[in-house]
């Protein structure tokens, strides 16, 4: 499928199913402290068998927005979401702009996420091995006519993999 950030939403993405061309809206949610997660960019990675989308939340879209990396863990089908992690950037009010995965030619321990911080003229690097702990979630779908809304509900920490 094709994934897009929804600039006007809170921790929101859209996924276009290539077979049906239908759009589903995903509301990722997050911790209570993350009051405004306005997603601006995303990328995907498979590192050590873990399939993860890394979305970037930025204050570029909302001055009250939290600058954060939102990790979304998937099953092998790239459709079933099993976990979520929200990692605030150490520099807030930095107008973060892009997120990218650096892994070509590197082992799993050295693969990284890098984030550009425009207002602070910095580049943040986080090793992916430090981002593997996620909050287990279950997907809840609501269908209203042609529209599908998928929300994530937190599960107990010991719920295990649901793939």
């Amino acid at each position: 499928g094709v994934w897009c950030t929804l600039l006007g939403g809170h921790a929101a993405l859209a996924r276009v199913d290539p077979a049906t061309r239908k759009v589903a809206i995903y509301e990722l949610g997050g911790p209570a402290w993350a009051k405004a997660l306005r997603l601006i960019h995303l990328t995907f990675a498979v590192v050590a068998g873990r399939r993860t989308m890394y979305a970037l939340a930025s204050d570029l879209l909302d001055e009250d927005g939290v600058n954060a990396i939102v990790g979304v863990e998937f099953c092998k089908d790239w459709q079933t979401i099993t976990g979520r992690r929200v990692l605030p950037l150490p520099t807030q009010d930095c107008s973060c702009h892009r997120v990218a995965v650096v892994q070509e030619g590197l082992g799993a321990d050295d693969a990284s996420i890098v984030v550009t911080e425009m207002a602070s003229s910095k580049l943040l690097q986080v090793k992916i091995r430090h981002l593997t702990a996620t909050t287990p979630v279950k997907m809840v779908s609501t269908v209203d006519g042609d529209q599908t809304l998928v929300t994530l509900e937190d599960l107990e920490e010991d719920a295990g993999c649901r793939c």
Side-chain angles (χ1 to χ4, degrees), residues 5-84:
T5 61
L6 293 178
L7 300 178
H10 169 72
L13 300 167
R15 181 183 181 275
V16 180
D17 185 309
T20 64
R21 297 186 182 184
K22 290 187 177 182
V23 177
I25 305 300
Y26 286 71
E27 292 181 349
L28 302 179
W33 56 261
K35 294 181 183 3
L37 287 173
R38 304 291 297 278
L39 303 179
I40 190 170
H41 194 239
L42 56 86
T43 191
F44 297 86
V46 178
V47 176
R50 297 175 66 101
R51 288 159 176 75
T52 309
M53 170 198 297
Y54 296 99
L56 186 63
S58 178
D59 63 343
L60 278 172
L61 301 171
D62 181 342
E63 64 183 33
D64 295 326
V66 176
N67 291 285
I69 298 168
V70 181
V72 181
E73 189 172 346
F74 289 85
C75 285
K76 291 180 182 179
D77 64 6
W78 280 107
Q79 293 182 33
T80 306
I81 297 172
T82 60
R84 174 196 60 235

Side-chain angles (χ1 to χ4, degrees), residues 40 56-60 67 89 94-98 115-117:
I40 190 170
L56 186 63
S58 178
D59 63 343
L60 278 172
N67 291 285
L89 301 187
C94 68
S95 301
C96 58
H97 184 252
R98 290 284 183 256
V115 174
T116 56
E117 299 179 357

Side-chain angles (χ1 to χ4, degrees), residues 65-144:
V66 176
N67 291 285
I69 298 168
V70 181
V72 181
E73 189 172 346
F74 289 85
C75 285
K76 291 180 182 179
D77 64 6
W78 280 107
Q79 293 182 33
T80 306
I81 297 172
T82 60
R84 174 196 60 235
R85 177 161 185 188
V86 179
L87 178 70
L89 301 187
T91 307
Q92 290 298 304
D93 301 320
C94 68
S95 301
C96 58
H97 184 252
R98 290 284 183 256
V99 60
V101 176
V102 178
Q103 75 180 90
E104 188 172 330
L106 300 174
D109 282 347
D110 293 322
S112 297
I113 298 296
V114 291
V115 174
T116 56
E117 299 179 357
M118 290 194 320
S120 60
S121 297
K122 293 180 182 178
L123 181 68
L124 172 71
Q125 177 183 5
V126 180
K127 298 276 185 163
I128 289 176
R129 62 186 159 104
H130 298 301
L131 299 173
T132 57
T134 60
T135 299
V137 297
K138 74 173 181 176
M139 297 170 50
V140 178
S141 296
T142 306
V143 178
D144 184 11

